[in-house]
Amino acid sequence: MSATLTRRTGIRFSFLPGLIFFSAVILLSPDAPLAADEAAKSAVSPGQTIRLSLDEALALFLKQNLDLLIAKFGVDYARGQQITAALFPNPVLSVSTAGSFAKHQFGERSSLTRSGQIYPQIQQLFEMAGKRGYRIESAGFGTQSAEANFEDAIRQLGFTVKDTYYRVQLAQRRLALAEENRDRFSRILEINTIRFKKGYIAEVDLIRIRLQFIDFQSQVIQFTQEADAARADLRQLLRLSPAVRLELTTELEFHRIDPDIDKLRMLALEARPDLRAKRHVQAQRLADLKLAKAYRYPDVTLGGGYAVQGPTGPDLQQQAMVSVGVPLPLFNRNQGGILQAEVAVQAAEADLNKTINQVENQVDVAYRNLVQSRRLVEAYLGGILEDARATFTIVERAYERGGATIIDLLDAARTSRTIQQNYIEALFNYQRNLFQLESAVGQEITS
């Protein structure tokens, strides 16, 4: 992306971070499967605790994820087809023999004589009308399409890694909030148990406090399970053992992003690897059509041989021969193959147009979701979050002095918990919508 565009928009656009690009190049190398396997064995050991930022998690994902390795095999397969397309047909060696018997009369006697011939011949097929060149062109576009599909796998799975990483952080934030509320109500329960024994509060109020404490305790268990499940998903994406303990260092925080939607649409059409893959497929189908039309013209087979004859036989004992073979295109001029190739070109064009429409709509939806979720987070940060916390503290102190009822305390606690949980979820949704927009555009977006 040019510096001019960066200055105009105030946003820096780049392909996936340099670390991801470098790792993708490594994965596309011929020794990638071995390198990835060695990385998986030596990166971390079971029982080890590793601290990962988001970028470090992405780097580990690129080295060890098996889905990426499977996608890389598709590139190797396409390269094999490209090598095959450039090969010449093998020559054909044939050897034929012939023998004859002749009866000779010598006076009253007769005898049989035998003669033989060995005829080796080599034939070579020569493809006409540029068939080999069209085949090489088609295979080249196939390889480029496979490489673009590999990049698209990085794009899609990279979003999954980011989303899973922050799902762990979301569960951690929820868990921390539930533990804070549980500990707070544990102290309130202890104090009011003493007050109940002294006859200062009714038993029903103590029961209500105890039920609220149990509710917070159940939330602690629930969010602990969610955090464990999210960590398991992340370990699977990073190809780590369940015995490996993860500590994530990139916090779930708010960073305002305000991109230009028109620039995003333009960038998506240029940067999305799945669009590039579809364009390469369309070019490949056009090359296949040219190849199908070239098959209307027959290929030529040239042959040469030398016949060696024994001492008995015709006078011409040594014979050299040259042959030329050309099929007569009277019936089959590849009419069906041309029709199929034309339909394939039309289908590839329709598929490309469909993908373009999908990309434009994905960018638009992701951008709108980002804007709405940003507004919600900013509304919480505008004072609502602090008001909910302050209200709970005020009501708790008033309850301790007898200026508020247990109903007021429980209501303030639930309101504070709900507001804080909603804020954490809004923050996560904002971050997730940003990742979705980056995935829809095909590039990282930072302000």
Side-chain angles (χ1 to χ4, degrees):
M1 184 53 54
S2 66
T4 302
L5 181 57
T6 305
R7 288 193 297 267
R8 289 178 180 173
T9 60
I11 303 170
R12 178 173 60 84
F13 291 86
S14 63
F15 281 107
L16 293 172
L19 180 61
I20 299 179
F21 175 77
F22 177 73
S23 300
V25 172
I26 293 177
L27 284 172
L28 285 172
S29 66
D31 298 330
L34 179 61
D37 187 61
E38 290 299 323
K41 293 178 181 177
S42 62
V44 290
S45 59
Q48 180 182 355
T49 299
I50 59 174
R51 293 168 55 84
L52 291 175
S53 66
L54 180 59
D55 288 340
E56 291 169 341
L58 288 169
L60 190 59
F61 155 75
L62 287 166
K63 291 180 181 178
Q64 302 192 171
N65 185 265
L66 292 176
D67 290 323
L68 282 186
L69 183 60
I70 293 172
K72 191 263 173 188
F73 289 147
V75 178
D76 294 337
Y77 182 83
R79 286 175 177 168
Q81 290 180 318
Q82 191 174 9
I83 293 173
T84 301
L87 299 177
F88 287 97
N90 289 324
V92 178
L93 172 64
S94 61
V95 179
S96 59
T97 62
S100 64
F101 295 88
K103 183 177 182 181
H104 298 275
Q105 189 72 28
F106 300 97
E108 295 180 355
R109 293 182 305 169
S110 62
S111 63
L112 291 176
T113 61
R114 183 178 61 183
S115 65
Q117 185 183 59
I118 297 177
Y119 178 36
Q121 184 180 17
I122 294 180
Q123 295 179 319
Q124 176 66 55
L125 174 68
F126 291 90
E127 294 180 303
M128 310 302 291
K131 296 184 182 69
R132 178 172 173 271
Y134 295 142
R135 193 166 55 246
I136 294 174
E137 181 183 1
S138 174
F141 285 124
T143 300
Q144 294 178 47
S145 177
E147 291 172 347
N149 284 327
F150 175 74
E151 293 180 32
D152 194 56
I154 294 178
R155 177 185 69 88
Q156 296 186 49
L157 292 173
F159 166 77
T160 304
V161 172
K162 294 177 182 179
D163 182 63
T164 306
Y165 187 99
Y166 277 111
R167 277 201 296 111
V168 176
Q169 298 294 61
L170 171 65
Q172 285 287 90
R173 292 281 292 272
R174 285 172 167 172
L175 176 60
L177 176 62
E179 289 176 338
E180 178 186 347
N181 289 327
R182 179 202 60 188
D183 295 342
R184 193 168 186 175
F185 260 80
S186 176
R187 294 191 297 270
I188 294 175
L189 180 60
E190 291 177 2
I191 294 173
N192 283 276
T193 300
I194 297 174
R195 295 177 67 191
F196 168 72
K197 292 178 180 180
K198 293 182 178 182
Y200 294 151
I201 63 172
E203 183 179 8
V204 65
D205 291 341
L206 182 64
I207 293 174
R208 286 170 174 164
I209 296 174
R210 186 183 299 122
L211 291 176
Q212 185 61 66
F213 170 77
I214 295 300
D215 181 50
F216 285 131
Q217 178 65 29
S218 66
Q219 289 182 21
V220 170
I221 296 174
Q222 174 189 346
F223 296 140
T224 300
Q225 292 174 337
E226 289 183 6
D228 290 341
R231 283 194 190 91
D233 292 341
L234 185 58
R235 280 195 295 265
Q236 184 174 353
L237 287 168
L238 302 182
R239 198 181 172 188
L240 296 175
S241 167
V244 173
R245 295 183 294 273
L246 293 178
E247 292 184 8
L248 308 186
T249 60
T250 302
E251 296 295 336
L252 180 59
E253 297 176 343
F254 176 69
H255 301 284
R256 180 181 172 86
I257 301 293
D258 190 13
D260 187 331
I261 181 60
D262 294 326
K263 296 295 188 298
L264 293 180
R265 294 192 185 102
M266 179 184 67
L267 288 169
L269 297 179
E270 295 176 356
R272 280 278 291 257
D274 53 341
L275 272 180
R276 284 191 285 113
K278 295 297 174 65
R279 291 189 179 102
H280 290 317
V281 169
Q282 184 186 33
Q284 184 181 18
R285 296 296 173 261
L286 289 172
D288 291 340
L289 177 59
K290 291 186 286 187
L291 178 61
K293 291 181 178 179
Y295 275 118
R296 294 179 299 182
Y297 304 98
D299 299 327
V300 176
T301 302
L302 297 181
Y306 191 76
V308 180
Q309 184 177 287
T312 304
D315 295 336
L316 301 176
Q317 296 183 353
Q318 313 297 330
Q319 296 178 340
M321 298 186 65
V322 176
S323 63
V324 178
V326 179
L328 300 179
L330 299 178
F331 308 109
N332 183 0
R333 293 181 55 82
N334 200 34
Q335 297 93 327
I338 294 174
L339 178 59
Q340 289 176 324
E342 290 174 344
V343 172
V345 170
Q346 296 172 359
E349 183 178 1
D351 191 29
L352 175 60
N353 292 332
K354 173 186 174 183
T355 305
I356 290 175
N357 182 261
Q358 289 176 339
V359 168
E360 291 175 340
N361 281 278
Q362 288 173 3
V363 171
D364 187 74
V365 171
Y367 174 78
R368 295 181 185 277
N369 289 341
L370 176 68
V371 171
Q372 296 300 326
S373 60
R374 185 185 65 203
R375 290 174 179 171
L376 182 58
V377 172
E378 290 176 340
Y380 280 112
L381 294 177
I384 296 177
L385 191 62
E386 293 300 326
D387 290 344
R389 292 172 179 167
T391 299
F392 184 23
T393 301
I394 293 172
V395 173
E396 181 182 5
R397 292 173 180 173
Y399 174 75
E400 292 173 355
R401 297 193 300 267
T405 66
I406 186 62
I407 301 299
D408 296 330
L409 177 64
L410 295 178
D411 182 65
R414 295 190 189 103
T415 300
S416 176
R417 176 198 63 186
T418 301
I419 293 297
Q420 292 184 73
Q421 284 187 352
N422 289 346
Y423 165 70
I424 296 171
E425 292 174 5
L427 188 59
F428 170 76
N429 289 332
Y430 169 77
Q431 191 65 61
R432 190 172 194 271
N433 289 330
L434 175 59
F435 291 151
Q436 284 182 328
L437 182 59
E438 291 179 340
S439 179
V441 174
Q443 291 187 350
E444 183 184 7
I445 304 173
T446 58
S447 58

